[in-house]
Amino acid sequence: MRGAILLGIVVMLAVTLVPTLRSVIQQSNDTVALQERVERQRVTVEQLKKQAALWEDPRYIEEQARERLRFVRVGDRAYSVTGLESDRSQEQTEQEPVVAAPMANDSAPWYGKVWQSIQIADRPTAGLSR
């Protein structure tokens, strides 16, 4: 009889403590995840502060204006090299094969042309330059 009562008490304690322990473990995991997130955000904030400090320097602003916006000072000469991209695009078009898209049969009736155009639309046109 004592064993049954003791077993009942142990079961009741287990039933009441297991959910509580589970929530404590879940909360500790959540706390660790939030601390990691806070640390990542802290690093991001530090990087943004460094970047904001750079933008306080007039020399950095001038450098960015020259690089990004192609600004020049009064009296300076700016040179732009052109034609490099067109040479590259010509080299690429010479290397790629050109395949013409198939055409619908002109002698077919209008509904035949519609059906042919549907069939042609399903065929790949590899190498077709756009």
Side-chain angles (χ1 to χ4, degrees):
M1 187 65 159
R2 281 184 168 175
I5 293 174
L6 186 60
L7 182 63
I9 292 173
V10 169
V11 169
M12 288 298 289
L13 284 173
V15 167
T16 57
L17 291 179
V18 167
T20 306
L21 288 175
R22 186 179 298 148
S23 73
V24 167
I25 291 171
Q26 179 64 35
Q27 287 176 358
S28 68
N29 290 340
D30 291 346
T31 303
V32 169
L34 288 173
Q35 287 173 345
E36 291 173 357
R37 183 176 173 193
V38 166
E39 186 58 35
R40 284 194 310 267
Q41 288 179 346
R42 189 172 290 137
V43 169
T44 303
V45 167
E46 289 300 321
Q47 290 173 347
L48 291 173
K49 282 182 180 179
K50 287 178 184 178
Q51 188 176 7
L54 283 174
W55 284 101
E56 295 295 324
D57 184 17
R59 290 178 293 177
Y60 181 77
I61 294 172
E62 181 180 349
E63 177 185 333
Q64 293 301 312
R66 286 177 181 263
E67 287 179 13
R68 294 182 182 186
L69 304 174
R70 308 279 187 240
F71 282 7
V72 292
R73 289 180 161 247
V74 175
D76 287 350
R77 289 188 180 175
Y79 296 99
S80 296
V81 178
T82 58
L84 293 178
E85 293 178 11
S86 63
D87 292 340
R88 290 180 188 158
S89 64
Q90 287 176 358
E91 290 174 6
Q92 290 175 353
T93 55
E94 291 173 1
Q95 295 173 357
E96 296 175 356
V98 176
V99 178
M103 297 292 292
N105 187 1
D106 287 333
S107 63
W110 69 269
Y111 51 86
K113 290 180 184 178
V114 170
W115 181 248
Q116 287 176 3
S117 70
I118 291 171
Q119 290 177 333
I120 289 170
D122 287 338
R123 296 182 197 156
T125 55
L128 185 63
S129 60
R130 294 179 183 228

